[in-house]
Amino acid sequence: MNRTKITNFKGIKYAHRVRDLETLWEIFSLKDYDLMKSFVPRNGNVVLEAGAGIGEYTMIASGLVGYNGKLIGIEPNKESYSYLKKNIKLNNLENVIPVNAAVSNKIGKIKIFSIPGTSVIDSVESDWAGTKNFYFVNSVTIDSLVKKFNLQKLDMVKLDIEGAEYLALLGAKRTLEKFRPRLMMEIHSK
């Protein structure tokens, strides 16, 4: 059952599914992102987050970058993306731009493998997701997003994209050379 729940963690409201509680617990109880002090966004920073999910990190980072900062939250899974947008609205965030796409090395369409009933294991790698189920989603490059949103700086790139990290970096060559952003990423690949 996918009934929406609303949970408040440290003053941040999250609309979520029951299955999202584990991720929220990791972030707030285990303090996953607090462990990496050099990757905590600062006031005025511009952050690009690929694999935003329902906005677990987005909501925290939005507060840290403040009114003068900006966060671009990218999520390919339509269900998770709808929760991301709900959470942006629920928390009245004006400095977050949601994007429903996958980050890759090309602009177009990309195949994403998924396990029915979950959205946290969607991956470009079929053996990672362990499934033959898939969907197609629009793909963008980090370079194309920097151009589209006319970013004059990019302080940090966060990638949690289940196996597409290398593809995302290939699509960010100009951005990485020009802005030299801090990179924070989970790696799920051979």
Side-chain angles (χ1 to χ4, degrees):
M1 183 173 284
N2 283 335
R3 286 197 359 236
T4 298
K5 309 258 186 231
I6 306 279
T7 304
N8 189 318
F9 286 99
K10 295 187 179 181
I12 301 170
K13 296 175 192 161
Y14 287 94
H16 62 87
R17 302 153 292 200
V18 171
R19 67 180 183 244
D20 297 319
L21 279 173
E22 181 180 357
T23 305
L24 290 167
W25 180 78
E26 286 176 359
I27 291 168
F28 287 99
S29 295
L30 298 179
K31 301 181 180 181
D32 277 3
Y33 296 119
D34 294 347
L35 299 175
M36 299 171 274
K37 296 292 184 204
S38 63
F39 294 105
V40 174
R42 300 185 240 340
N43 189 30
N45 279 179
V46 176
V47 177
L48 188 145
E49 177 191 15
I54 67 166
E56 299 93 328
Y57 175 81
T58 309
M59 303 302 119
I60 297 168
S62 170
L64 294 170
V65 302
Y67 180 77
N68 295 317
K70 184 183 299 187
L71 191 136
I72 299 168
I74 307 146
E75 175 56 42
N77 181 283
K78 285 186 192 253
E79 185 182 12
S80 293
Y81 179 73
S82 73
Y83 278 93
L84 173 64
K85 290 193 332 182
K86 284 177 192 175
N87 288 323
I88 292 167
K89 186 175 180 178
L90 190 62
N91 290 283
N92 300 311
L93 304 180
E94 296 181 8
N95 62 351
V96 177
I97 301 168
V99 176
N100 185 213
V103 175
S104 184
N105 62 332
K106 62 181 176 156
I107 299 170
K109 295 276 187 190
I110 192 167
K111 184 188 283 189
I112 306 283
F113 294 91
S114 66
I115 296 173
T118 182
S119 60
V120 295
I121 307 178
D122 292 5
S123 175
V124 295
E125 298 179 1
S126 64
D127 58 336
W128 167 251
T131 182
K132 300 292 183 211
N133 297 315
F134 64 88
Y135 60 94
F136 286 95
V137 67
N138 289 332
S139 65
V140 294
T141 65
I142 291 173
D143 287 342
S144 71
L145 291 171
V146 166
K147 184 176 180 179
K148 177 180 179 175
F149 295 115
N150 194 28
L151 299 182
Q152 301 304 306
K153 69 175 191 165
L154 183 60
D155 300 291
M156 190 168 94
V157 174
K158 177 188 171 285
L159 302 175
D160 187 358
I161 51 179
E162 314 304 324
E165 298 83 11
Y166 181 66
L167 296 176
L169 293 174
L170 288 175
K173 287 181 183 179
R174 288 192 306 271
T175 299
L176 295 175
E177 288 175 7
K178 182 176 181 180
F179 296 121
R180 299 223 178 269
R182 291 170 286 157
L183 296 173
M184 178 171 63
M185 69 179 122
E186 285 190 21
I187 299 175
H188 298 283
S189 184
K190 297 175 205 164

